[in-house]
Amino acid sequence: MGETPNAHHPRHRRRGPPRHRGAFGLAGTFVASAPLRETLWAIDGAALVVAAALLTMKYQRLGNDCVAAGFLTFLAGESLLLAGNAAGLEASVPAYVGGISLWAAALGLVGASNNLCAVDAAPRRAILFVVTVAMVLWGAPLLPTSAPLPAAGYPFLVLTFVGWIWTLLKSPR
């Protein structure tokens, strides 16, 4: 009863920033099975919403409102994507367009601060999502898995995550 928890047990380990978040979403884009794709996207989406919420709090406490607002905007966009996920590819397009619009805005907000990554290309990477949104709004029959857009934007989004994770790992705790 009075035992000390085992520090090596996974429940008691301090966890760093999850490095797998982008991998589930990226993998979901390239699988043929709809149930597997939706499962991978659900895991990815939920993890990203939690991460964005935590990062919003962190940067708000540090007084960096622009970065905090960026992560809050990303959280809203990812929530839209997560909500549309179960509807299937065709039915999810309206939620998808709203979600990636907010992704683009979030990338711009976070990238506007040199606080997170000295050479953050996030605003330039947002262009791929802006172009996708414009194409859909002007009638192009694009799905979340269409190539070259929007599929070409996902690896760049994951690269942005990697840069942010790298910056967070380098910074003093």
Side-chain angles (χ1 to χ4, degrees):
M1 196 162 194
E3 295 178 35
T4 307
N6 181 352
H8 299 289
H9 190 279
R11 278 188 315 192
H12 302 292
R13 269 190 226 143
R14 182 158 188 227
R15 295 184 182 171
R19 294 160 189 89
H20 65 277
R21 289 193 174 104
F24 282 104
L26 197 54
T29 303
F30 299 106
V31 299
S33 165
L36 179 57
R37 177 182 53 248
E38 290 165 7
T39 301
L40 291 170
W41 282 352
I43 292 167
D44 176 67
L48 287 170
V49 165
V50 169
L54 292 171
L55 289 167
T56 298
M57 298 299 295
K58 172 187 173 94
Y59 285 98
Q60 181 64 43
R61 286 184 182 139
L62 291 173
N64 193 329
D65 294 342
C66 189
V67 174
F71 283 116
L72 186 60
T73 303
F74 189 86
L75 183 153
E78 191 62 36
S79 296
L80 275 172
L81 292 166
L82 193 55
N85 182 41
L89 284 176
E90 291 82 11
S92 72
V93 171
Y96 176 75
V97 169
I100 67 170
S101 296
L102 291 172
W103 274 3
L107 288 169
L109 282 167
V110 174
S113 168
N114 60 2
N115 212 12
L116 208 52
C117 215
V119 290
D120 193 358
R124 290 187 306 275
R125 292 175 181 162
I127 297 299
L128 295 169
F129 296 114
V130 170
V131 169
T132 301
V133 168
M135 289 173 66
V136 172
L137 293 177
W138 284 89
L142 296 179
L143 297 174
T145 55
S146 295
L149 286 176
Y154 304 136
F156 291 108
L157 183 65
V158 172
L159 284 174
T160 302
F161 294 162
V162 169
W164 292 343
I165 290 168
W166 177 258
T167 302
L168 290 168
L169 290 174
K170 284 186 350 183
S171 67
R173 299 200 184 256

